[in-house]
Coordinates of all heavy atoms in Angstrom, one line a residue:
M1 N -0.9 -2.4 -13.9 CA 0.0 -2.1 -12.9 C -0.7 -2.2 -11.5 O -1.8 -1.8 -11.3 CB 0.5 -0.7 -13.1 CG 1.6 -0.2 -12.2 SD 3.2 -1.0 -12.5 CE 3.9 0.1 -13.7
F2 N 0.1 -2.7 -10.5 CA -0.4 -2.8 -9.2 C 0.4 -1.9 -8.3 O 1.6 -1.8 -8.4 CB -0.3 -4.3 -8.7 CG -1.2 -5.2 -9.5 CD1 -0.6 -6.0 -10.5 CD2 -2.5 -5.3 -9.3 CE1 -1.3 -6.8 -11.3 CE2 -3.3 -6.2 -10.0 CZ -2.7 -6.9 -11.0
Y3 N -0.3 -1.3 -7.3 CA 0.4 -0.4 -6.4 C 0.2 -1.0 -5.0 O -0.9 -1.4 -4.7 CB -0.1 1.0 -6.4 CG 0.0 1.8 -7.7 CD1 -0.8 2.8 -8.0 CD2 1.0 1.5 -8.6 CE1 -0.7 3.6 -9.2 CE2 1.2 2.2 -9.8 CZ 0.4 3.3 -10.0 OH 0.5 4.0 -11.2
V4 N 1.2 -0.9 -4.2 CA 1.1 -1.2 -2.8 C 1.0 0.1 -2.0 O 1.9 1.0 -2.1 CB 2.3 -2.0 -2.2 CG1 2.1 -2.3 -0.7 CG2 2.4 -3.4 -3.0
V5 N -0.1 0.3 -1.3 CA -0.3 1.6 -0.6 C -0.7 1.2 0.8 O -1.0 0.1 1.2 CB -1.5 2.4 -1.3 CG1 -1.1 2.8 -2.7 CG2 -2.8 1.6 -1.2
V6 N -0.7 2.3 1.7 CA -1.0 2.1 3.1 C -2.1 3.1 3.4 O -2.1 4.3 3.1 CB 0.2 2.4 4.0 CG1 -0.2 2.4 5.5 CG2 1.3 1.3 3.7
C7 N -3.2 2.6 4.1 CA -4.2 3.5 4.5 C -3.6 4.6 5.5 O -3.1 4.2 6.5 CB -5.3 2.7 5.3 SG -6.6 3.7 6.0
P8 N -3.8 5.8 5.2 CA -3.2 6.9 6.1 C -4.0 7.0 7.5 O -3.4 7.5 8.5 CB -3.4 8.2 5.4 CG -4.5 7.9 4.3 CD -4.5 6.4 4.1
N9 N -5.1 6.4 7.5 CA -5.9 6.4 8.8 C -5.5 5.3 9.7 O -5.3 5.6 10.9 CB -7.4 6.3 8.4 CG -8.3 6.7 9.6 OD1 -8.1 7.7 10.2 ND2 -9.3 5.9 9.8
C10 N -5.4 4.1 9.3 CA -5.2 3.0 10.2 C -3.9 2.2 9.9 O -3.6 1.3 10.5 CB -6.4 2.0 10.2 SG -6.6 1.1 8.6
K11 N -3.1 2.7 8.9 CA -1.9 2.1 8.5 C -1.9 0.7 8.0 O -1.0 -0.1 8.1 CB -0.9 2.1 9.7 CG -0.7 3.5 10.3 CD 0.3 4.3 9.6 CE 0.8 5.5 10.4 NZ -0.2 6.6 10.5
T12 N -3.1 0.3 7.4 CA -3.2 -1.1 6.9 C -2.7 -1.0 5.4 O -3.3 -0.3 4.6 CB -4.7 -1.5 7.0 OG1 -5.0 -1.5 8.3 CG2 -4.8 -2.9 6.4
P13 N -1.7 -1.8 5.1 CA -1.3 -1.9 3.7 C -2.2 -2.7 2.8 O -2.9 -3.6 3.3 CB 0.1 -2.5 3.8 CG 0.1 -3.2 5.0 CD -0.9 -2.7 6.0
R14 N -2.3 -2.4 1.5 CA -3.1 -3.1 0.6 C -2.6 -2.9 -0.8 O -1.8 -2.0 -1.1 CB -4.6 -2.7 0.7 CG -4.7 -1.2 0.2 CD -6.2 -0.8 0.3 NE -7.0 -1.5 -0.5 CZ -8.4 -1.7 -0.4 NH1 -8.9 -1.2 0.6 NH2 -9.1 -2.4 -1.2
V15 N -3.0 -3.8 -1.7 CA -2.7 -3.8 -3.1 C -3.8 -3.2 -3.9 O -5.0 -3.6 -3.7 CB -2.3 -5.1 -3.6 CG1 -2.0 -5.1 -5.2 CG2 -1.1 -5.7 -2.9
I16 N -3.6 -2.2 -4.7 CA -4.6 -1.6 -5.6 C -4.2 -1.7 -7.0 O -3.0 -1.7 -7.3 CB -5.0 -0.2 -5.2 CG1 -3.8 0.8 -5.3 CG2 -5.7 -0.1 -3.8 CD1 -4.1 2.2 -5.2
E17 N -5.1 -1.6 -7.9 CA -4.8 -1.5 -9.3 C -4.7 -0.1 -9.7 O -5.4 0.8 -9.2 CB -5.8 -2.3 -10.2 CG -5.6 -3.8 -10.1 CD -6.6 -4.5 -11.0 OE1 -6.3 -4.5 -12.3 OE2 -7.6 -5.1 -10.6
D18 N -3.9 0.3 -10.7 CA -3.7 1.7 -11.0 C -4.9 2.4 -11.7 O -4.9 3.6 -11.7 CB -2.4 1.8 -11.9 CG -2.5 1.1 -13.2 OD1 -3.4 0.3 -13.4 OD2 -1.7 1.5 -14.1
N19 N -5.8 1.6 -12.1 CA -7.0 2.3 -12.7 C -8.1 2.5 -11.7 O -9.2 3.0 -12.1 CB -7.5 1.4 -13.9 CG -7.9 0.0 -13.5 OD1 -7.6 -0.4 -12.3 ND2 -8.6 -0.7 -14.3
V20 N -7.8 2.2 -10.5 CA -8.9 2.4 -9.4 C -8.7 3.8 -8.8 O -7.6 4.2 -8.5 CB -8.7 1.4 -8.3 CG1 -9.6 1.6 -7.1 CG2 -9.0 0.0 -8.9
K21 N -9.8 4.6 -8.8 CA -9.7 6.0 -8.3 C -10.0 6.1 -6.8 O -9.4 6.9 -6.2 CB -10.7 6.8 -9.1 CG -10.4 6.9 -10.6 CD -10.1 8.3 -11.0 CE -9.6 8.5 -12.4 NZ -9.6 7.4 -13.3
N22 N -10.9 5.3 -6.3 CA -11.2 5.4 -4.9 C -11.4 3.9 -4.4 O -11.9 3.0 -5.1 CB -12.6 6.0 -4.7 CG -12.5 7.5 -5.1 OD1 -11.9 8.3 -4.3 ND2 -13.1 7.9 -6.2
V23 N -10.9 3.8 -3.2 CA -11.1 2.5 -2.5 C -11.6 2.7 -1.1 O -11.4 3.8 -0.5 CB -9.8 1.7 -2.4 CG1 -9.3 1.2 -3.8 CG2 -8.7 2.4 -1.7
T24 N -12.3 1.8 -0.5 CA -12.7 1.9 0.9 C -11.8 0.9 1.7 O -11.7 -0.3 1.3 CB -14.2 1.5 1.0 OG1 -14.9 2.4 0.2 CG2 -14.6 1.7 2.5
C25 N -11.2 1.5 2.7 CA -10.3 0.6 3.5 C -11.1 -0.5 4.2 O -12.1 -0.2 4.8 CB -9.6 1.5 4.6 SG -8.6 0.5 5.7
F26 N -10.7 -1.7 4.0 CA -11.4 -2.8 4.5 C -11.3 -2.9 6.1 O -12.1 -3.6 6.7 CB -11.0 -4.1 3.9 CG -9.6 -4.5 4.0 CD1 -9.0 -5.1 5.1 CD2 -8.7 -4.2 2.9 CE1 -7.7 -5.3 5.2 CE2 -7.3 -4.5 3.0 CZ -6.8 -5.1 4.2
K27 N -10.3 -2.3 6.6 CA -10.1 -2.3 8.1 C -10.9 -1.2 8.8 O -11.6 -1.5 9.7 CB -8.6 -2.2 8.3 CG -8.3 -2.4 9.8 CD -7.3 -3.5 10.0 CE -7.0 -3.8 11.4 NZ -5.6 -3.8 11.8
C28 N -10.6 0.0 8.4 CA -11.3 1.1 9.2 C -12.5 1.7 8.4 O -13.2 2.5 9.0 CB -10.2 2.2 9.5 SG -9.7 3.1 8.0
G29 N -12.7 1.3 7.2 CA -13.9 1.8 6.5 C -13.7 3.2 5.9 O -14.7 3.7 5.3
K30 N -12.6 3.8 6.0 CA -12.3 5.1 5.4 C -12.3 5.1 3.9 O -11.6 4.2 3.3 CB -11.0 5.7 6.0 CG -10.9 7.2 5.7 CD -9.7 7.7 6.5 CE -9.4 9.2 6.1 NZ -10.4 10.1 6.5
R31 N -12.9 6.0 3.2 CA -12.8 6.1 1.8 C -11.6 6.9 1.4 O -11.3 8.0 1.9 CB -14.1 6.9 1.3 CG -14.3 6.6 -0.2 CD -15.8 6.9 -0.5 NE -16.0 7.0 -1.9 CZ -16.0 5.9 -2.8 NH1 -15.9 4.7 -2.3 NH2 -16.2 6.1 -4.1
L32 N -10.8 6.3 0.5 CA -9.5 6.8 0.1 C -9.4 7.1 -1.4 O -9.8 6.3 -2.2 CB -8.4 5.8 0.5 CG -8.4 5.2 1.9 CD1 -7.5 4.0 2.0 CD2 -8.0 6.3 2.9
S33 N -9.0 8.3 -1.7 CA -8.7 8.7 -3.0 C -7.3 8.2 -3.4 O -6.3 8.6 -2.8 CB -8.9 10.2 -3.2 OG -8.5 10.5 -4.5
T34 N -7.2 7.3 -4.4 CA -5.9 6.7 -4.6 C -4.8 7.6 -5.0 O -3.6 7.4 -4.8 CB -6.0 5.5 -5.5 OG1 -6.6 5.9 -6.7 CG2 -6.9 4.4 -5.0
K35 N -5.2 8.7 -5.7 CA -4.2 9.6 -6.1 C -3.5 10.4 -4.9 O -2.4 10.9 -5.1 CB -4.7 10.6 -7.2 CG -5.7 11.6 -6.6 CD -6.0 12.6 -7.7 CE -7.1 13.5 -7.2 NZ -7.6 14.5 -8.2
H36 N -4.1 10.4 -3.8 CA -3.5 11.0 -2.6 C -2.7 10.0 -1.8 O -2.2 10.4 -0.8 CB -4.6 11.7 -1.8 CG -5.3 12.8 -2.5 ND1 -4.6 13.9 -3.0 CD2 -6.6 13.0 -2.7 CE1 -5.4 14.7 -3.6 NE2 -6.6 14.2 -3.4
L37 N -2.8 8.8 -2.1 CA -2.1 7.8 -1.3 C -0.6 7.7 -1.7 O -0.3 7.8 -2.9 CB -2.7 6.3 -1.5 CG -4.1 6.2 -1.0 CD1 -4.7 4.8 -1.3 CD2 -4.2 6.4 0.5
R38 N 0.1 7.5 -0.7 CA 1.6 7.3 -1.0 C 1.8 5.8 -1.5 O 1.4 4.9 -0.9 CB 2.3 7.4 0.3 CG 3.8 7.3 0.1 CD 4.6 7.9 1.2 NE 5.9 7.5 1.0 CZ 6.9 7.7 1.9 NH1 6.6 8.1 3.1 NH2 8.1 7.3 1.6
I39 N 2.5 5.8 -2.6 CA 2.8 4.5 -3.2 C 4.1 3.9 -2.7 O 5.1 4.6 -2.9 CB 2.7 4.6 -4.8 CG1 1.3 4.9 -5.2 CG2 3.2 3.3 -5.4 CD1 1.2 5.5 -6.6
F40 N 4.1 2.8 -2.1 CA 5.3 2.2 -1.6 C 6.0 1.3 -2.6 O 7.2 1.1 -2.5 CB 4.9 1.4 -0.3 CG 4.6 2.3 0.9 CD1 3.4 2.8 1.0 CD2 5.6 2.6 1.8 CE1 3.1 3.7 2.1 CE2 5.4 3.5 2.8 CZ 4.1 4.0 3.0
F41 N 5.2 0.8 -3.5 CA 5.8 -0.2 -4.4 C 4.9 -0.3 -5.6 O 3.7 -0.3 -5.5 CB 5.9 -1.6 -3.7 CG 6.7 -2.6 -4.4 CD1 8.1 -2.5 -4.4 CD2 6.1 -3.7 -5.1 CE1 8.9 -3.4 -5.1 CE2 6.9 -4.6 -5.8 CZ 8.3 -4.5 -5.7
K42 N 5.5 -0.4 -6.8 CA 4.8 -0.5 -8.1 C 5.3 -1.7 -8.8 O 6.5 -1.9 -8.9 CB 5.0 0.7 -9.0 CG 4.5 2.0 -8.6 CD 4.8 3.0 -9.7 CE 4.8 4.4 -9.1 NZ 5.0 5.5 -10.1
T43 N 4.4 -2.5 -9.4 CA 4.8 -3.6 -10.2 C 3.7 -4.0 -11.1 O 2.5 -3.8 -10.9 CB 5.2 -4.8 -9.3 OG1 5.6 -5.9 -10.1 CG2 4.1 -5.2 -8.3
D44 N 4.1 -4.7 -12.2 CA 3.1 -5.3 -13.1 C 2.7 -6.7 -12.7 O 1.7 -7.3 -13.2 CB 3.7 -5.4 -14.5 CG 3.7 -4.1 -15.2 OD1 2.7 -3.4 -15.1 OD2 4.6 -3.8 -15.9
D45 N 3.4 -7.2 -11.7 CA 3.2 -8.6 -11.3 C 2.5 -8.6 -9.9 O 3.0 -8.2 -9.0 CB 4.6 -9.2 -11.2 CG 4.6 -10.7 -10.9 OD1 3.5 -11.2 -10.5 OD2 5.6 -11.3 -11.0
L46 N 1.3 -9.2 -10.0 CA 0.5 -9.3 -8.8 C 1.2 -10.1 -7.7 O 1.1 -9.7 -6.5 CB -0.9 -9.9 -9.1 CG -1.9 -10.0 -7.9 CD1 -2.1 -8.6 -7.3 CD2 -3.2 -10.6 -8.3
R47 N 1.9 -11.1 -8.1 CA 2.6 -11.9 -7.0 C 3.7 -11.1 -6.3 O 3.9 -11.2 -5.1 CB 3.3 -13.1 -7.7 CG 2.3 -14.3 -7.9 CD 3.1 -15.5 -8.3 NE 4.0 -15.1 -9.4 CZ 4.9 -15.9 -9.9 NH1 5.1 -17.1 -9.4 NH2 5.7 -15.5 -10.9
E48 N 4.3 -10.3 -7.1 CA 5.4 -9.4 -6.5 C 4.7 -8.4 -5.6 O 5.3 -8.1 -4.6 CB 6.1 -8.7 -7.7 CG 7.5 -8.3 -7.4 CD 8.2 -7.8 -8.6 OE1 8.8 -8.6 -9.3 OE2 8.2 -6.6 -8.9
A49 N 3.6 -7.8 -6.1 CA 2.9 -6.9 -5.2 C 2.5 -7.5 -3.9 O 2.6 -6.8 -2.9 CB 1.6 -6.4 -6.0
R50 N 2.0 -8.8 -4.0 CA 1.6 -9.4 -2.7 C 2.8 -9.7 -1.8 O 2.7 -9.7 -0.6 CB 0.9 -10.7 -3.1 CG -0.4 -10.5 -3.6 CD -1.4 -11.7 -3.5 NE -2.7 -11.4 -3.9 CZ -3.4 -12.1 -4.8 NH1 -2.9 -13.2 -5.4 NH2 -4.6 -11.7 -5.1
M51 N 4.0 -10.0 -2.4 CA 5.2 -10.2 -1.6 C 5.6 -8.9 -0.9 O 5.9 -8.9 0.2 CB 6.3 -10.6 -2.5 CG 6.5 -12.1 -2.6 SD 7.6 -12.6 -3.9 CE 9.1 -11.6 -3.5
A52 N 5.5 -7.8 -1.7 CA 5.8 -6.5 -1.1 C 4.8 -6.1 0.0 O 5.2 -5.6 1.1 CB 5.8 -5.4 -2.2
L53 N 3.5 -6.5 -0.2 CA 2.5 -6.3 0.8 C 2.9 -7.1 2.1 O 2.8 -6.5 3.2 CB 1.2 -6.7 0.3 CG 0.0 -6.5 1.1 CD1 -0.4 -5.0 1.3 CD2 -1.2 -7.3 0.6
G54 N 3.3 -8.3 1.9 CA 3.7 -9.1 3.1 C 4.8 -8.6 3.8 O 4.9 -8.5 5.1
L55 N 5.8 -8.1 3.1 CA 7.0 -7.5 3.7 C 6.6 -6.2 4.4 O 7.1 -6.0 5.6 CB 8.0 -7.1 2.6 CG 9.4 -6.8 2.9 CD1 10.0 -8.0 3.5 CD2 10.2 -6.4 1.6
L56 N 5.8 -5.4 3.8 CA 5.3 -4.2 4.5 C 4.5 -4.5 5.7 O 4.7 -3.8 6.8 CB 4.4 -3.4 3.5 CG 4.2 -1.9 3.7 CD1 5.4 -1.2 3.9 CD2 3.4 -1.4 2.6
N57 N 3.7 -5.5 5.7 CA 2.9 -5.9 6.9 C 3.9 -6.3 8.0 O 3.7 -5.9 9.2 CB 2.1 -7.1 6.5 CG 0.6 -6.7 6.4 OD1 0.1 -6.0 7.2 ND2 0.0 -7.2 5.4
A58 N 4.9 -7.1 7.7 CA 5.9 -7.5 8.6 C 6.6 -6.4 9.3 O 6.8 -6.3 10.5 CB 6.9 -8.5 8.0
K59 N 7.0 -5.4 8.4 CA 7.7 -4.2 8.9 C 6.8 -3.4 9.9 O 7.3 -2.9 10.9 CB 8.1 -3.4 7.7 CG 9.3 -3.8 7.0 CD 10.5 -3.2 7.7 CE 11.8 -3.6 7.0 NZ 13.0 -3.2 7.7
I60 N 5.6 -3.2 9.4 CA 4.7 -2.4 10.2 C 4.4 -3.1 11.6 O 4.4 -2.4 12.7 CB 3.3 -2.2 9.5 CG1 3.5 -1.3 8.3 CG2 2.3 -1.6 10.5 CD1 2.3 -1.2 7.4
N61 N 4.3 -4.4 11.6 CA 4.1 -5.1 12.9 C 5.3 -5.1 13.7 O 5.2 -5.1 14.9 CB 3.6 -6.6 12.6 CG 2.2 -6.6 12.0 OD1 1.4 -5.7 12.2 ND2 2.0 -7.6 11.2
G62 N 6.5 -5.1 13.1 CA 7.7 -5.1 13.8 C 8.1 -3.7 14.4 O 8.1 -3.5 15.6
K63 N 8.1 -2.8 13.5 CA 8.5 -1.4 13.9 C 7.8 -0.4 13.0 O 8.2 -0.1 11.9 CB 10.1 -1.3 13.7 CG 10.8 -1.3 15.0 CD 12.2 -0.8 14.9 CE 12.7 -0.5 16.3 NZ 14.1 -0.6 16.4
E64 N 6.8 0.1 13.6 CA 5.9 1.0 12.8 C 6.5 2.2 12.2 O 6.3 2.6 11.1 CB 4.7 1.3 13.6 CG 3.5 1.9 12.8 CD 2.3 2.1 13.6 OE1 2.0 1.2 14.5 OE2 1.6 3.1 13.4
D65 N 7.4 2.8 13.0 CA 8.0 4.1 12.6 C 9.0 4.0 11.5 O 9.4 4.9 10.9 CB 8.5 4.9 13.7 CG 9.0 4.1 14.9 OD1 8.2 3.3 15.3 OD2 10.1 4.3 15.4
E66 N 9.4 2.7 11.2 CA 10.4 2.5 10.1 C 9.8 2.2 8.8 O 10.4 2.2 7.8 CB 11.4 1.4 10.5 CG 12.5 1.9 11.4 CD 13.4 0.8 11.8 OE1 13.5 -0.2 11.1 OE2 14.1 0.9 12.8
F67 N 8.5 1.9 8.8 CA 7.9 1.4 7.6 C 7.9 2.4 6.4 O 7.8 2.0 5.3 CB 6.5 0.8 7.9 CG 5.4 1.8 7.8 CD1 4.7 2.0 6.6 CD2 5.0 2.4 8.9 CE1 3.7 2.9 6.5 CE2 3.9 3.3 8.9 CZ 3.2 3.5 7.7
T68 N 7.9 3.7 6.7 CA 7.8 4.7 5.7 C 9.0 4.7 4.7 O 9.0 5.3 3.7 CB 7.6 6.1 6.2 OG1 8.5 6.3 7.2 CG2 6.1 6.3 6.8
C69 N 10.1 4.1 5.2 CA 11.3 4.2 4.4 C 11.8 2.9 3.8 O 12.9 2.9 3.3 CB 12.4 4.9 5.2 SG 12.7 4.0 6.7
I70 N 11.0 1.9 3.8 CA 11.5 0.6 3.3 C 11.5 0.6 1.8 O 12.2 -0.1 1.2 CB 10.8 -0.6 3.9 CG1 9.3 -0.7 3.5 CG2 11.0 -0.7 5.4 CD1 8.7 -2.1 3.8
F71 N 10.5 1.3 1.2 CA 10.5 1.3 -0.3 C 10.8 2.7 -0.8 O 9.9 3.5 -1.0 CB 9.2 0.8 -0.9 CG 8.9 -0.6 -0.6 CD1 7.9 -1.0 0.2 CD2 9.8 -1.6 -1.1 CE1 7.6 -2.4 0.4 CE2 9.5 -3.0 -0.8 CZ 8.4 -3.3 -0.1
K72 N 12.0 3.0 -1.0 CA 12.3 4.3 -1.6 C 12.4 4.3 -3.1 O 13.0 3.3 -3.6 CB 13.6 4.8 -1.0 CG 13.5 5.3 0.4 CD 14.7 6.1 0.8 CE 14.5 6.7 2.2 NZ 15.7 6.8 3.0
E73 N 11.9 5.3 -3.7 CA 12.0 5.2 -5.2 C 13.4 5.6 -5.6 O 14.2 6.3 -4.9 CB 11.0 5.9 -6.0 CG 10.3 7.2 -5.6 CD 9.5 7.3 -4.4 OE1 10.0 7.1 -3.3 OE2 8.3 7.6 -4.5
Ligands
LIG101 ZN1 -7.8 2.2 7.1

C-alpha cells in the first residue's frame, strides 16, 4: 500500500509505503514519524499514488489553504 502524505513542516507532499515507520523529508530534512502524518490518499497502485502526488503538488502551488480538503475520506 502507498500513502500520499504532506510534510507538516514545509508542506512538501510525498509518497511513502505503508510499512515505513520514519522518513526524512527530502526538502526540509525534518524527521517524520509516518503514523503521525495525515494521509491524503491511499492506494495499492504506485502510478495512482504518483498521480495523486502530482495533483496535490498542483493544488499546493495554486492555493495552499485549500489543499487540506482535496482528498476527503
Ligand atoms: Zn519538510
Side-chain angles (χ1 to χ4, degrees):
M1 186 71 90
F2 298 98
Y3 296 158
V4 177
V5 298
V6 173
C7 173
N9 195 46
C10 69
K11 308 272 195 288
T12 300
R14 66 181 296 157
V15 176
I16 58 168
E17 286 186 71
D18 64 344
N19 59 351
V20 174
K21 298 244 174 2
N22 290 288
V23 292
T24 302
C25 177
F26 57 83
K27 185 126 187 228
C28 69
K30 192 173 172 68
R31 196 158 168 78
L32 308 166
S33 174
T34 55
K35 70 175 175 184
H36 295 306
L37 292 176
R38 180 162 175 194
I39 294 160
F40 286 83
F41 193 74
K42 290 182 201 184
T43 179
D44 281 321
D45 185 346
L46 181 59
R47 277 186 316 169
E48 205 172 272
R50 289 201 173 128
M51 264 168 54
L53 182 71
L55 194 64
L56 197 54
N57 257 317
K59 277 276 185 188
I60 289 170
N61 291 333
K63 255 196 167 155
E64 197 172 322
D65 28 310
E66 278 180 21
F67 85 91
T68 50
C69 56
I70 65 168
F71 293 119
K72 281 192 175 146
E73 40 291 65

